[in-house]
Structure formats: structure tokens, C-alpha cells
Amino acid sequence: MEDNPPVPSPKRRRLSVPTDNDDASPSNPTHNNIQGDFPPSHHRDVSARSTPPARSSTNTPHRPLSPTPSSSSSSTTHHQISSPPISSPPTLHYRQKLILRGHKKGVAAVRFSPDGKWIASCSADATVKIWSATTGKIYQTLEGHLAGISTIAWSPDSRTLASGSDDKSIRLWDVPTGKPYPVPLMGHQNYIYSIAISPKGNMLVSGSYDEAVFLWDVRSGRLMRSLPAHSDPVGGVDFVRDGTLVVSCAGDGLIRIWDTSTSQCLRTVVHEDNAPVSSVRFSPNGKFVLASTLDSCVRLWDYVDGRCVKTYQGHVNTKYSLGGAFGTYHHNKRVDAFVAAGSEDGRILLWDVKDKSVLQVLGGDNAHIGPVLGVDAREGILVSCGLDGTVRVWRAD
């Protein structure tokens, strides 16, 4: 890996926090049903990683790329609809149950396995660890990367784990044996920030500091397509629930939707404040994209209409790439959804998806020391990781 001087990343700019001007009443009544009939997705969010090299184009004005259309939340069209009153959401009661220690440096990302049995974590110490989600005991330590690891993703059958590293490689691991696949995926020219595996397990998407998004064939390990995605480092990627679309984001403030079969950019959305976007995640029903930005906001986008429909605030996020996640809770005999995100002050915030109210703030005596870099959720359980090198498991009472 190349030696680079320790200079500030363009993703560490301090930005002002905008006024919340989102559309509180989405035009489609089904927009309140974030979960749909599908369980939460299990994709990795990018997190703080070793300092990348400086870019001379950091202050260059960013323009949406032709010929794809670009939509800004400043031109939101409001639809008049009638909706029933929404009762006040309850306060959630997640409590810390386990603190998992073993990494020697900051932990960049955590992910539940699709079957719910395991928690995977990756670290700047160049290792991936697999933990029991029930007991917290280490099941495997995966070693082979030559530099820190920023991103991980599970296969649908929970038997394969992918990892992306600052050594510019992506490795696939056989979880039961802890052994890597013989040949790593090579092609990116710089640090790998984000990866995701398609719901069928046949494709992998990766985003890198080299500004490219790659689509890989998992079985053959070959590069299928290279997408000329962004004019700044790519911070996040994800697959939609049926694998037909990929979303990417970058420090240029753009969120782009791609057709996986044609490599065509179907939509570009950008907020009027043009804050750097550090992570993206499709909602489980596939209708929305959750985006974290370096202006201390998490935004929910209707990417078809190009509208920002919700903005969640209250956390601190101006320096590090902090990913968000979707979770569920039961209220009034129905299943509702929440958004979870870490904060640079050690807290974790849980917001109701529909009314944006804060359902719970995890912190206090049980807080991470420093930034919470990653979170993931399943029903009744959360996992978080931080710059303090710990992985923490939280369960709902």
C-alpha cells in the first residue's frame, strides 16, 4: 500500500446544519410503511477509516453528470392528502447487554448475519471478527488483509463474508472455516470504502476512494462493470431488495441510482445544501434511500420522485462517516419502523421513521468513548461499534 502523508480528508469538512424543510406528508400513503413485508437488510455502512490522500479537486464545484436527470429537495412538490392522526410513539427501551472486546484499533463497521446468529465486525487493525450474537463469544478471526478494513457484507446464506480494505482488495471468506477464497477481487486503484452483496448472492458492488463503483461476479471473481459514478470518493453503496438497482453516494453530494443490468444511471438526487454524503442504504421495502451527510443530518429520499421526505436530526456528524440502519418495533398491535444512527459524541439515536420523533437516545454511562461509527439492527436487538475499539450489543426490554 502506498505511503501517504497524514492530511485531512475532504470528507472531514465542517458544515452548517440546514433547516429541516422536508415534506412531512409523503404523497403516497404507502410511504409510511418503510418495512413492507421484508426483514431489515444486512448491508454495511462505511465508517471512519485511515486518512486518505489529499485531493486537489476538493473545492471544485460539483455538477450533476449528463445525461441523467438531477433532482433537488428545494423543488419539492407538495401533494394535498388527508391522513388519519398519528398517535404519539412510545419510548423504546434498549439496554446494553454485551461489550465485545478484541479489536486492537477502531471498529469501522458491524453487521448481523442474515440468519441472526452472528455479528461481523471489521477494524483498522486489518482483521474481521465473527461473534456469537447471543453470547458475544468470538467464533472466527479472519486475517489476510494488509491494511485497515472499512467495510463488510454478508452473503444471503450467512456462510460467506466479504471485506473491503485500504489495501485496495476485496476478500471473500468462508465463515465456517475462517479461510479466505483463493483469489481476492482486485481492480480498484485506491482504498475501498463500501461493499454490498446482492440479495441472490451472485453480485457484489464496491465503492472506492478512486471515485469508481464496480460490479463483480461473486462466483467467478471477475469484474462485470465499472460505473463512472462520482467526482469525489465513493462513500457508500447498496443493493435494492431484488438486486436490480444499486445506489451510490460520494463527497460530491450526489446520490445516484444505477440499473445493474445496463449500468445506466437512472436518477441523480442532491440536496440543496450539497453536503457530502458518506453512506446510503435502501429501505427494506425498496422505495426509499437513507443517506447520512456531514451536516449532522440523516435524510430519507423518495428516489423515484427525487424528494427528500424526512430529515432526522439531533446527533453530531461533521467529521466521520457514520452509517444508519432501519429497525422495527411493535406499537398498537402493528409493526412500526425506526431509523438508528451513531453520533460523534458517543450516543446512538433512534428516530420514528414517520414523525421523526426521538424514540430513544443510547448513551450515558454505557456510551461509546468517541464516535459511534456503525450500527445495525434486527428485531429487538441492535449492535454498534466505535473508534474506541469496542462492539456493543443492545437488546429491547
Side-chain angles (χ1 to χ4, degrees):
M1 180 175 171
E2 300 173 356
D3 291 327
N4 297 296
V7 292
S9 164
K11 295 174 70 177
R12 284 161 166 52
R13 291 175 289 180
R14 289 189 176 275
L15 302 170
S16 59
V17 178
T19 303
D20 183 1
N21 60 352
D22 56 350
D23 181 3
S25 300
S27 58
N28 188 341
T30 63
H31 285 184
N32 285 341
N33 183 10
I34 297 296
Q35 291 297 121
D37 297 322
F38 294 83
S41 64
H42 300 283
H43 157 63
R44 117 68 192 147
D45 308 323
V46 69
S47 22
R49 45 207 47 106
S50 56
T51 305
R55 288 180 43 84
S56 59
S57 60
T58 299
N59 297 319
T60 302
H62 304 300
R63 300 179 300 276
L65 301 182
S66 177
T68 59
S70 177
S71 301
S72 171
S73 65
S74 61
S75 59
T76 302
T77 301
H78 296 270
H79 300 266
Q80 299 297 324
I81 64 171
S82 60
S83 58
I86 301 175
S87 60
S88 299
T91 299
L92 299 183
H93 298 283
Y94 280 89
R95 299 185 187 277
Q96 185 174 283
K97 298 298 182 181
L98 298 170
I99 301 179
L100 313 183
R101 305 182 189 274
H103 284 294
K104 298 177 181 178
K105 295 183 179 180
V107 183
V110 284
R111 284 290 175 269
F112 284 110
S113 62
D115 62 13
K117 294 180 179 179
W118 311 107
I119 294 169
S121 61
C122 64
S123 169
D125 65 10
T127 70
V128 175
K129 292 185 181 293
I130 311 294
W131 317 76
S132 167
T134 305
T135 67
K137 292 182 179 179
I138 291 181
Y139 174 64
Q140 298 282 11
T141 296
L142 311 180
E143 297 178 302
H145 281 293
L146 303 178
I149 304 168
S150 295
T151 175
I152 46 179
W154 287 93
S155 65
D157 62 4
S158 301
R159 294 183 59 85
T160 300
L161 188 74
S163 57
S165 170
D166 284 3
D167 65 10
K168 308 175 189 176
S169 74
I170 299 168
R171 287 189 173 272
L172 300 173
W173 307 83
D174 181 69
V175 173
T177 65
K179 302 296 183 181
Y181 285 31
V183 181
L185 309 184
M186 302 294 296
H188 280 294
Q189 302 301 308
N190 218 315
Y191 310 145
I192 297 170
Y193 276 177
S194 182
I195 58 175
I197 295 178
S198 66
K200 293 181 180 179
N202 60 322
M203 291 186 293
L204 184 146
V205 62
S206 59
S208 167
Y209 194 85
D210 62 14
E211 304 176 3
V213 172
F214 286 176
L215 281 173
W216 306 83
D217 184 302
V218 171
R219 293 183 180 89
S220 67
R222 294 181 179 179
L223 178 63
M224 298 167 55
R225 296 178 180 84
S226 175
L227 309 179
H230 295 275
S231 59
D232 262 332
V234 178
V237 292
D238 195 16
F239 278 102
V240 77
R241 68 183 190 187
D242 63 2
T244 59
L245 301 176
V246 159
V247 61
S248 65
C249 70
D252 57 13
L254 305 183
I255 300 169
R256 291 196 148 142
I257 308 295
W258 306 85
D259 186 311
T260 57
S261 62
T262 67
S263 302
Q264 180 181 1
C265 183
L266 304 178
R267 171 70 72 178
T268 299
V269 296
V270 57
H271 193 266
E272 59 186 351
D273 295 321
N274 201 35
V277 188
S278 58
S279 71
V280 283
R281 198 163 190 171
F282 276 108
S283 63
N285 66 9
K287 296 180 180 179
F288 302 91
V289 168
L290 190 69
S292 299
T293 49
L294 296 186
D295 56 358
S296 297
C297 291
V298 178
R299 293 183 174 93
L300 189 68
W301 288 88
D302 179 335
Y303 60 87
V304 175
D305 292 339
R307 296 186 303 121
C308 175
V309 295
K310 302 290 178 184
T311 300
Y312 310 99
Q313 294 176 295
H315 64 310
V316 180
N317 185 13
T318 60
K319 294 175 59 179
Y320 295 92
S321 181
L322 312 180
F326 290 100
T328 59
Y329 68 97
H330 294 271
H331 179 51
N332 290 341
K333 298 183 179 180
R334 69 173 186 268
V335 178
D336 286 332
F338 65 83
V339 167
S343 179
E344 291 171 6
D345 58 11
R347 298 176 300 150
I348 303 167
L349 277 72
L350 311 181
W351 296 273
D352 181 81
V353 163
K354 292 179 289 187
D355 66 16
K356 303 178 293 182
S357 63
V358 176
L359 300 172
Q360 188 176 3
V361 177
L362 305 178
D365 294 338
N366 294 323
H368 284 273
I369 301 172
V372 180
L373 303 178
V375 295
D376 200 15
R378 291 180 62 87
E379 186 170 357
I381 183 172
L382 294 169
V383 64
S384 61
C385 65
L387 204 59
D388 61 5
T390 66
V391 175
R392 300 177 185 235
V393 179
W394 313 75
R395 292 188 180 273
D397 288 346

